[in-house]
Amino acid sequence: MGRKGSPRSPQAEGGSRAASPPSPLWALPEELLLLICSYLDAQALGRLAQVCRRLRFLSGRDLLWRRIARGCLNSGFTQLGTDLAAGIPVKERVKVSQNWRHGRCRRETVLKWKCNLMPWMELDGEYLYLSQAENIQAYHLCAEGTGLQRHPQAIFSGHQEDVCRFVLVNSHIVSGGGDGSIVLHKIHGSYSVKFSAHEQEVNCVDFQGGLIVSGSRDRTAKVWSLSVGRVGQCLHTVQTEDRVWSIAISPLLSGQLLTCLGTDFHHGAGVLDVFYETPSLLLSCGYDTYIRYWDIRTSTRKCVQEWEEPHDSALYCIRSDKNHMIASGSSYYGVVRLWDKRQTRCLQSFHLSSPTSSPVYCLRFSTTHLYAALASALHVLDFTAS
């Protein structure tokens, strides 16, 4: 007797297996699917993307990641929800944000110069503007954002001594120099204006809405007009009790001195950098090693929050993502620190100057890279590297 054969599979009987009925999930409108997915966190969305191609596409939508991104460090969203990095997928920004939080980055020195300087810089799209002695040089950023083209694409000159600080606003560069003058350049064109501003070096400048403000070692702050026929005319002079190291125009643009912040600073606790996040919120740092967060709607006498530099170093520069993250540059050993406003202690530290000690004179960052200018070199931290 022959052995009985095993039961034949449905494929052997009639070809392929019958298709399974579609999931009821796919019968829902896309708006409802997005609503359901909006309750998921980043980890759950990542797992959902592994189910199938349709869910991978759905779970990668910017709409779902926007809420998550607003709670992350340096994801390109301000506290008010404005997207400062439109065009970059939000999911990718959330991923890179984790590298900022955990300090995962690749370090590189992209420029060096022979003599010690006090450089200042600004980022503008694909260009980095860096002051070197009496000139300001524009370098094109490489495609990956890390390196620079070795030779500047433009050089802006006009000062007889070193540039102290400059700002870049609406395709214009306004700089203050050690020669006591202010120079305005139009980036895309040959237009430039130079006028004598102070008796001593111009330590700081700001520019907005046809007004320039400047501060000097001569213990004055001044407001200048750029109106037609009144270019370089001084509109206001504010006498101060000490040298002016940092200055900033309020986004409200009143052109008047409204108030003084703080009342209990000890002698020598000079402010070295100021950064406005909104018309009412601003950050300051300086010689007394503190970062202070001010809300002028509540009080001008006392800050609402403060963080102390852990190694008792003066803080030369400060910037924020206008949401949760602060970056600061210290006066010793080229230390850059990252802070989370929701925490009381420093989040990450990066020592860029070794073995010689140099302050971090200026720093700027995008959602992917941080640039730090020291006395003799420009360093970049690439946070896209995992």
Side-chain angles (χ1 to χ4, degrees):
M1 293 180 60
R3 188 174 61 181
K4 292 184 179 180
S6 58
R8 304 181 68 181
S9 65
Q11 289 89 337
E13 292 288 349
S16 62
R17 182 187 299 271
S20 58
S23 169
L25 189 66
W26 301 132
L28 297 175
E30 184 176 283
E31 292 79 4
L32 286 180
L33 288 175
L34 289 172
L35 178 61
I36 294 171
C37 293
S38 69
Y39 291 94
L40 302 179
D41 59 16
Q43 186 178 36
L45 284 173
R47 290 173 176 172
L48 188 66
Q50 299 174 12
V51 175
C52 64
R53 291 182 180 178
R54 185 174 179 184
L55 284 177
R56 179 179 179 82
F57 172 77
L58 187 74
S59 63
R61 296 280 293 274
D62 282 356
L63 182 65
L64 298 177
W65 289 91
R66 189 179 300 269
R67 173 185 57 83
I68 298 171
R70 290 184 64 179
C72 294
L73 294 182
N74 196 27
S75 63
F77 288 93
T78 69
Q79 194 173 24
L80 300 177
T82 304
D83 191 350
L84 303 177
I88 303 176
V90 181
K91 179 181 178 180
E92 292 303 312
R93 287 187 255 165
V94 171
K95 179 180 177 181
V96 174
S97 172
Q98 299 307 305
N99 292 338
W100 287 88
R101 173 166 292 281
H102 297 291
R104 296 190 293 256
C105 64
R106 183 175 65 247
R107 308 183 188 191
E108 185 179 355
T109 302
V110 291
L111 281 179
K112 290 184 177 181
W113 43 91
K114 295 181 180 179
C115 57
N116 287 345
L117 302 172
M118 297 177 66
W120 197 254
M121 64 180 169
E122 295 288 350
L123 274 178
D124 184 39
E126 298 178 350
Y127 289 88
L128 183 143
Y129 296 80
L130 177 71
S131 67
Q132 294 182 289
E134 68 273 11
N135 297 323
I136 299 171
Q137 302 183 359
Y139 293 90
H140 190 267
L141 298 175
C142 295
E144 297 300 322
T146 301
L148 304 174
Q149 291 187 353
R150 291 299 176 184
H151 300 286
Q153 291 205 349
I155 298 177
F156 302 91
S157 57
H159 291 284
Q160 300 304 313
E161 297 184 26
D162 287 3
V163 174
C164 296
R165 289 196 184 182
F166 70 93
V167 292
L168 194 158
V169 181
N170 296 331
S171 298
H172 290 80
I173 294 176
V174 176
S175 58
D179 54 3
S181 67
I182 292 175
V183 178
L184 180 145
H185 292 282
K186 192 171 183 179
I187 293 177
H188 307 294
S190 58
Y191 176 80
S192 65
V193 173
K194 178 180 179 179
F195 56 90
S196 179
H198 291 268
E199 296 178 359
Q200 299 183 47
E201 57 260 44
V202 181
N203 290 326
C204 49
V205 292
D206 200 4
F207 168 52
Q208 187 176 320
L211 292 177
I212 294 175
V213 294
S214 61
S216 171
R217 183 182 285 271
D218 65 11
R219 302 188 177 192
T220 64
K222 296 184 179 182
V223 181
W224 306 90
S225 172
L226 286 180
S227 302
V228 177
R230 303 178 66 187
V231 175
Q233 179 179 343
C234 183
L235 302 178
H236 304 286
T237 298
V238 179
Q239 299 291 336
T240 66
E241 297 179 359
D242 204 346
R243 295 164 291 182
V244 182
W245 291 110
S246 183
I247 203 162
I249 299 178
S250 166
L252 295 177
L253 194 66
S254 67
Q256 300 286 339
L257 177 65
L258 299 179
T259 185
C260 294
L261 297 179
T263 57
D264 55 355
F265 296 141
H266 59 78
H267 183 71
V271 174
L272 296 178
D273 202 6
V274 176
F275 180 72
Y276 270 98
E277 292 190 333
T278 71
S280 55
L281 297 173
L282 66 151
L283 290 157
S284 67
C285 68
Y287 282 119
D288 69 350
T289 76
Y290 278 91
I291 299 172
R292 290 183 171 87
Y293 196 36
W294 304 88
D295 187 343
I296 59 178
R297 296 168 301 184
T298 60
S299 174
T300 59
R301 299 173 62 86
K302 186 173 180 59
C303 64
V304 294
Q305 197 170 357
E306 62 183 19
W307 300 266
E308 185 177 11
E309 213 283 338
H311 291 162
D312 199 32
S313 299
L315 296 171
Y316 274 36
C317 53
I318 192 172
R319 273 298 181 272
S320 87
D321 63 354
K322 297 187 177 182
N323 196 2
H324 300 301
M325 193 185 84
I326 301 171
S328 64
S330 300
S331 59
Y332 295 121
Y333 305 109
V335 176
V336 171
R337 299 191 191 278
L338 302 182
W339 309 76
D340 188 335
K341 293 178 187 175
R342 299 163 293 190
Q343 300 180 12
T344 57
R345 295 185 178 182
C346 167
L347 188 65
Q348 296 293 339
S349 298
F350 306 93
H351 296 254
L352 303 180
S353 176
S354 178
T356 60
S357 175
S358 167
V360 178
Y361 287 112
C362 186
L363 58 80
R364 295 292 184 269
F365 58 84
S366 65
T367 57
T368 55
H369 297 81
L370 185 146
Y371 301 87
L374 278 65
S376 60
L378 176 66
H379 299 263
V380 61
L381 305 181
D382 178 7
F383 288 90
T384 62
S386 56

